Amino acid sequence: MATVPTITLNNGVQIPQLGFGVFQIKPEDTVEATRTALEVGYRHIDTAEMYGNEAEVGEAVRQSGIPREEVFVTSKLNNGFHAREDALKAFDQTLAELQFDYLDLFLIHWPLPGIEVDYVETWKAMEEIYRSGRAKSIGVSNFNPHHLRKLFADSEVRPVVNQIEVHPYFAQNDVRAFNGDHEIRTEAWAPIAQGKVLDDQVLTRIGEAHGKTAAQAALRWHVQRGDIIFPKSVTRSRVEQNFDLFDFELSQAEMAEIDGLDRADGRNGPNPDEFNYIPS
Ligand code: NDP
């Protein structure tokens, strides 16, 4: 089985660079999909309260027989729970759903700049959770540099990661550079743009040159950029394919060619500066 590199976060905690994402996997399919990923060798799962499948992720980890401490599990604070008391309760609920006594990484899912509660207050609740030891690390998702600067000015614990949309059509070089300058690792969500980069001729050609697919070329590009990724698939052959990234290397010229696919209009998901969605 291939060895997935680990990355050491700014608090000394280690995270596998490659994980498995479960966004848009229906609860009834999540145990099987997650068990498949664990069988294939993934030891890092990315879920969220918003995905509605935390309970099934926890169940899959238990059913796998793999010791809890060998699987790195991330979840995220749902929108609408940003006030201190709500955030503390939501974290308890996340642990109850997973039936875990700790979480490896807990993130603020979105900054929600338009709501009444300031995400700095939310971050202080995250710090309380971190200090309790029940989340081994805390971080943020969908934060732009100006959101992070505001956080730094009024808090003590530095986020370990910032999970943002990144793929060859939306390279996010500015946010990644800001993260890197502040010892925050970038986690790249939608690493293959939810499938939208897979017909790309450059990725297809570069993949073929290594006996790999366009998806593997894109995922390898992320790995060589040093970002953390967790592609999602409910298809076993793709789950295997997405894990098979560590027996080839893209040349500098190939990396530069994929860098060149970045587009001004490449964003696939919501813009964090405008997104204030609260689930009902
Ligand atoms: P991905 O970029 O991982 O793409 C998933 C899609 O690509 C699915 O339709 C899947 O199909 C297909 N696919 C996967 N692998 C292959 C392959 N090798 N060949 C062809 N098609 C493939 O999108 P996600 O949005 O799922 O992003 C990954 C993870 O990032 C999420 O699961 C979630 O954990 C996280 N995320 C976080 C967000 C945030 O706001 N923090 C937002 C969005 C995602 P199929 O399943 O049918 O096989």
Side-chain angles (χ1 to χ4, degrees):
M1 199 182 281
T3 308
V4 173
T6 52
I7 285 181
T8 303
L9 302 170
N10 67 24
N11 61 352
V13 168
Q14 296 209 317
I15 183 171
Q17 190 181 8
L18 173 66
F20 181 68
V22 298
F23 177 43
Q24 289 177 327
I25 304 185
K26 294 193 199 98
E28 59 269 31
D29 298 332
T30 302
V31 173
E32 192 187 331
T34 307
R35 279 200 61 176
T36 299
L38 292 167
E39 271 167 39
V40 167
Y42 294 75
R43 292 292 180 271
H44 166 187
I45 313 292
D46 184 88
T47 185
E49 206 275 328
M50 199 188 285
Y51 305 165
N53 54 19
E54 290 172 309
E56 290 75 13
V57 166
E59 181 58 26
V61 172
R62 277 185 296 284
Q63 284 186 15
S64 74
I66 299 165
R68 165 71 188 95
E69 61 277 12
E70 289 179 20
V71 186
F72 190 104
V73 179
T74 300
S75 194
K76 314 185 190 89
L77 179 72
N78 205 350
N79 299 351
F81 297 87
H82 275 208
R84 176 181 174 274
E85 288 296 321
D86 294 340
L88 298 179
K89 277 192 211 139
F91 179 73
D92 288 346
Q93 183 61 25
T94 278
L95 284 190
E97 289 286 328
L98 286 156
Q99 293 184 44
F100 287 174
D101 53 14
Y102 71 91
L103 192 64
D104 293 281
L105 174 60
F106 195 46
L107 307 180
I108 300 181
H109 206 148
W110 289 90
L112 307 177
I115 68 164
E116 203 173 307
V117 185
D118 193 320
Y119 50 79
V120 177
E121 173 181 335
T122 318
W123 185 250
K124 290 183 177 170
M126 302 289 284
E127 291 183 331
E128 284 183 54
I129 292 165
Y130 179 57
R131 291 199 182 98
S132 78
R134 294 190 309 149
K136 304 281 183 202
S137 297
I138 51 173
V140 295
S141 179
N142 300 300
F143 274 47
N144 279 326
H146 69 95
H147 300 123
L148 284 167
R149 272 195 211 97
K150 189 169 148 186
L151 208 69
F152 298 160
D154 194 17
S155 64
E156 289 167 12
V157 181
R158 182 70 45 123
V160 295
V161 301
N162 183 13
Q163 182 177 129
I164 55 173
E165 178 179 351
V166 186
H167 46 74
Y169 291 166
F170 195 57
Q172 291 256 51
N173 292 324
D174 293 350
V175 185
R176 289 178 66 259
F178 183 90
N179 291 341
D181 287 346
H182 295 86
E183 296 185 296
I184 296 171
R185 296 307 294 231
T186 298
E187 294 194 327
W189 66 250
I192 54 171
Q194 298 174 340
K196 292 191 182 69
V197 299
L198 299 183
D199 293 331
D200 189 274
Q201 289 181 359
V202 169
L203 291 171
T204 304
R205 173 171 42 77
I206 290 175
E208 276 171 11
H210 294 274
K212 301 284 178 183
T213 63
Q216 288 170 311
L219 295 171
R220 180 72 206 182
W221 170 80
H222 287 284
V223 167
Q224 289 183 213
R225 277 164 42 112
D227 288 353
I228 298 160
I229 49 169
F230 22 81
K232 168 264 177 188
S233 177
V234 292
T235 315
R236 187 178 183 111
S237 59
R238 291 172 173 174
V239 175
E240 288 170 349
Q241 196 189 109
N242 297 345
F243 195 72
D244 181 21
L245 306 177
F246 303 104
D247 63 350
F248 73 113
E249 191 164 345
L250 302 177
S251 68
Q252 275 188 6
E254 290 168 330
M255 289 294 291
E257 220 182 328
I258 302 177
D259 290 343
L261 299 176
D262 189 23
R263 311 171 170 178
D265 63 349
R267 187 194 292 280
N268 201 38
N271 181 339
D273 283 320
E274 293 162 7
F275 189 65
N276 288 298
Y277 165 75
I278 308 239
S280 50

